[in-house]
Every structure is written in C-alpha cells, then in structure tokens.
Amino acid sequence: MSSFNASDKYRGMRYIRIVRCSTKGQADTSIDDQLALLDVFARGHQMVHVDDLRLEGVSVSMPRQFIDQLIERKKTRNDFDAILLQDITRLTRSGSKHGAKLEYELEAASIEVIFALENVPEGAFGDIYKSMQYYAARETAKSISSTATRGAQSALEQQRAAYTKRPPYAVDRLYTAADGTPKYVLRNLADGGQLKLDPKTGAVIDRFPPNSRNYNHNRKQRDECIILIPGDPERVEVVRRVFRRHFVDGWGQGRIAKELNDGGTSGPTGGEWQMNAVMRMLKNPIYTGRSIANFRATGIYNMRSPGAPRASSVRHASSSAARSPLRVYVRGKTGSSRKSRGCSSCSIGMCGSWRWRSRTNGSTRGRADTSRRPIGIGMATRPTCSRRS
C-alpha cells in the first residue's frame, strides 16, 4: 500500500498511529521510536494526525478486539481514513492468510492500511509482495519463539528462574549468587509492590512501588539463581490453618473463607478471601515443596521441553492443563487419614505438628520438577526433568 511516491495519494489523509511492542520493558524506548518514525512519514506526506493506539506488551499480532474497535469507530464516528504502522510485523506475525484477512476487513470498512517502512508496489503485485512479507514475519516469529523457549527451559533446569513468575501466597523468592551464597529475599506485596529483604535478618533493604507504565520492580541479574522459600510467617500460618481446616476438620472452601474474613485476615490481593482463592491454594503442589513447571502450554509455536522445544498444539495443552499431578493423603495427630477430593490438593508442610505424604498420580510427562530447596517436609529431591515417553 505504501509507496515512496505516494505523496498525492496520502496528502490530507486523516490517520491513527498504531504502535506495538512485545514486552512492557520495551515500551520506554520502542514505542517512542515508532511514534517518531511515523511522525516523520506523515509530515512528509502532509497527513493529518487524529489519534494514537499504543499496544504495550502485545506479542505476535494486533489483538482482534482492537481491529473491531477501529471498524466500529469508523462506522460510528468516521473521524479517520487510515491507520499508520511502522511495518507489516506491527499488524501481524501470524502469516499470509491472517494478514490478508485483516486487511480485507479493514478495507471493507473504508480504512486504508499504510506501512511506513514497506515500499509496497502499486497494482496486483503489491498483494503478492505483502503476502511474502507476512510469511517472512511469521517465520521470524517462529525462530524467536524457538530461541526464547529453549532459553526458558535452560533457565528452569539451571535454577536461574523459578517455575512461576508470580510466587503463590506466603511464598518468597530467595536470590542467590552462582555459588549458592544468599543475596536477598524478594517478597511480593498485596498492593503490587515488592520488598527486598536481608536473607539473614529479614530487615528491609529496599522497597519497590507497583508497576505503572514504567517497570518499577526489582530486576534480576544474569548470574542470580532463584529459590522459592516460605514467606511472611503470618501468611505461612494462614496457609497451615487453611489446610488444617480442610483436611483435618473437613471444612469446605466457603466456610474457610468466611472464617478468615470474619477474623480480619486480608486475602492474597489485600481484599476479602474468596472460595476460588482457597481452592487454588489447596490445589497448588508448591505447598508440599514440589514445584511443577510446564504444566500448561499457551505458546502459539513452541512449548518448553527438556532437550529441545516441542511444537505447540492445542490438544496437548488442553490435556496437560486438565491432568492432576498429585493425589495427596493427609495424616493428622489422631492417626485419621483423609484423601483429597479428586484433585491435586496438597499441604504447606512447614508445620512439624503434621505429617504429610503424597504420591504421584500418573506420569508427569513433559514437565520439569524445578524444586531446589524444598519448602515442604520430606520433599528433599533435587530438580529433575521428565521427558515425554
């Protein structure tokens, strides 16, 4: 669509600048650079700026909801004629068919699609050219996906990353040097902020505010390793109380949540406790000291796997998400035994008054057990990665 000799075609055209970056960390530089580039292009063609659409932390393709919003805005307000993007990859990296579909729907709504850095030929060959560019963009995305997936799996196996980016309730992250020397503890707060604590004294070293447009949280260094450890003692006691009420006293999630709320105990996000929050806690195997990575696959092209990335498939991702990795039996002081109610329930295991034992329920094929230092009692296994048979 765009051509270096299209000054007359674009002159006076009302446009919306659309900029996109894959991660929040790129927003500080990539977004502003794209806006500056598009501004130069528009001034050179004497176009009229109407609005901006900033998509921060959006990978691969422009989400469908924004396409629909643009079409609806064109129908109801008709205050713009075109959308202006840096290049084809800012619209989509999902291949030729997807790119052609998006352009067809936008043009059907009388919305011109202009790429500032694409010298698209005029005429029928322009469609062929764009088709090749869309294909090249998808292949680039596949290559990036494979590299990133391989690196993420390597980080898991070498303890440079935890199995989760967001530790569960009552769990902190201990950052260590490459030789295992503790450096500091990072604790997530209910308001979205973070505390950096001394690993020996627990004194506050630094405080990080919640993220806004800028990334304000602690930045992990390349040589640091992460170990999940018990967090705030008050929260740890809440977890013990939840498991004791459920497995020993036989209480349901609603009754447990009500007792916590009546006692003035804040929930994981600072508000009231909900049944779903209690259920997620009871189902999370981290409270036995066992962390299971690669439990769900949401990647479009690749998924993490020991050795080499595997091609992602919706069928595999769905079956993995539904499978329960653990079936737990709980034995209390009285000697009574209770079986978990058909789910992957587990215990915090940090209280010496209780004895907990668990057994695997089927294979953990394709998942990585990334525990390095156990949170629970009796789970002193070193990290292992099980390969799909």
Side-chain angles (χ1 to χ4, degrees):
M1 291 185 179
S2 173
S3 173
F4 292 140
N5 300 315
S7 298
D8 293 338
K9 178 180 179 181
Y10 297 141
R11 181 176 299 160
M13 187 174 288
R14 301 169 299 172
Y15 71 96
I16 294 177
R17 295 185 297 186
I18 298 180
V19 290
R20 179 184 67 80
C21 61
S22 299
T23 65
K24 294 287 187 179
Q26 297 173 340
D28 293 341
T29 55
S30 177
I31 293 294
D32 291 339
D33 290 345
Q34 291 179 54
L35 289 174
L37 184 150
L38 297 179
D39 191 44
V40 170
F41 178 89
R43 286 202 308 268
H45 295 287
Q46 301 180 25
M47 301 173 69
V48 179
H49 177 247
V50 174
D51 202 355
D52 292 331
L53 177 58
R54 305 167 65 104
L55 305 177
E56 300 177 5
V58 177
S59 184
V60 181
S61 299
M62 184 174 172
R64 179 70 214 185
Q65 65 190 54
F66 295 107
I67 299 292
D68 294 336
Q69 290 173 8
L70 289 170
I71 294 175
E72 182 63 24
R73 176 171 177 171
K74 180 65 176 178
K75 291 179 179 178
T76 56
R77 298 165 58 180
N78 193 25
D79 61 346
F80 71 103
D81 306 306
I83 58 174
L84 180 60
L85 303 96
Q86 174 181 284
D87 53 40
I88 275 177
T89 64
R90 299 304 93 185
L91 181 62
T92 180
R93 283 179 171 170
S94 296
S96 303
K97 291 183 179 180
H98 188 244
K101 180 177 184 294
L102 293 182
E103 284 200 49
Y104 177 84
E105 293 180 352
L106 290 167
E107 291 182 359
S110 300
I111 301 174
E112 186 86 9
V113 183
I114 305 173
F115 304 109
L117 295 183
E118 301 288 353
N119 188 20
V120 181
E122 295 290 339
F125 185 68
D127 293 333
I128 299 176
Y129 173 86
K130 287 186 290 184
S131 177
M132 293 187 294
Q133 293 295 91
Y134 283 128
Y135 172 81
R138 185 179 64 175
E139 294 306 302
T140 300
K142 286 183 176 180
S143 176
I144 295 173
S145 171
S146 177
T147 302
T149 304
R150 186 182 69 245
Q153 179 67 27
S154 175
L156 279 171
E157 296 175 0
Q158 298 175 19
Q159 305 300 322
R160 290 182 286 108
Y163 83 103
T164 176
K165 296 293 184 181
R166 184 178 180 182
Y169 182 84
V171 176
D172 288 348
R173 286 169 286 184
L174 172 63
Y175 285 73
T176 71
D179 59 0
T181 304
K183 298 179 65 176
Y184 60 90
V185 172
L186 196 65
R187 175 173 299 168
N188 285 3
L189 302 177
D191 64 356
Q194 290 181 330
L195 288 180
K196 179 184 283 190
L197 308 174
D198 186 278
K200 295 182 179 180
T201 65
V204 177
I205 301 174
D206 201 355
R207 180 184 293 268
F208 302 96
N211 284 331
S212 54
R213 182 174 180 270
N214 298 322
Y215 187 84
N216 301 320
H217 283 180
N218 175 71
R219 294 184 182 273
K220 177 184 175 297
Q221 302 304 307
R222 185 179 297 273
D223 62 339
E224 291 178 339
C225 297
I226 300 177
I227 303 172
L228 298 180
I229 61 173
D232 185 351
E234 293 184 1
R235 289 196 163 198
V236 170
E237 184 55 39
V238 171
V239 176
R240 292 174 180 159
R241 181 179 178 184
V242 168
F243 278 89
R244 196 175 301 120
R245 287 301 194 194
H246 183 70
F247 289 107
V248 178
D249 299 335
W251 286 21
Q253 291 80 30
R255 187 177 178 184
I256 296 173
K258 184 177 185 303
E259 182 186 58
L260 293 173
N261 291 329
D262 291 344
T265 303
S266 299
T269 58
E272 292 188 343
W273 281 90
Q274 304 294 332
M275 289 179 57
N276 289 340
V278 176
M279 176 62 77
R280 285 194 296 268
M281 180 182 294
L282 293 169
K283 285 187 174 184
N284 198 334
I286 189 60
Y287 295 114
T288 62
R290 182 179 177 85
S291 55
I292 300 178
N294 305 343
F295 187 72
R296 291 179 176 86
T298 58
I300 298 175
Y301 299 121
N302 293 283
M303 61 179 294
R304 293 183 304 204
S305 179
R310 285 205 310 273
S312 181
S313 66
V314 175
R315 180 174 179 271
H316 175 78
S318 299
S319 61
S320 294
R323 189 182 299 117
S324 296
L326 297 176
R327 189 180 297 275
V328 178
Y329 294 82
V330 183
R331 187 180 300 277
K333 285 183 176 179
T334 61
S336 61
S337 178
R338 296 180 184 269
K339 181 180 178 181
S340 65
R341 301 170 182 174
C343 66
S344 57
S345 303
C346 45
S347 77
I348 189 66
M350 286 190 272
C351 176
S353 301
W354 308 94
R355 292 176 294 161
W356 314 89
R357 58 190 177 91
S358 62
R359 68 180 184 181
T360 56
N361 180 23
S363 172
T364 57
R365 295 176 296 177
R367 302 170 188 161
D369 182 351
T370 60
S371 306
R372 178 173 178 179
R373 183 173 300 172
I375 294 179
I377 293 176
M379 303 291 290
T381 56
R382 291 190 61 79
T384 58
C385 291
S386 53
R387 189 184 298 274
R388 190 175 181 87
S389 59

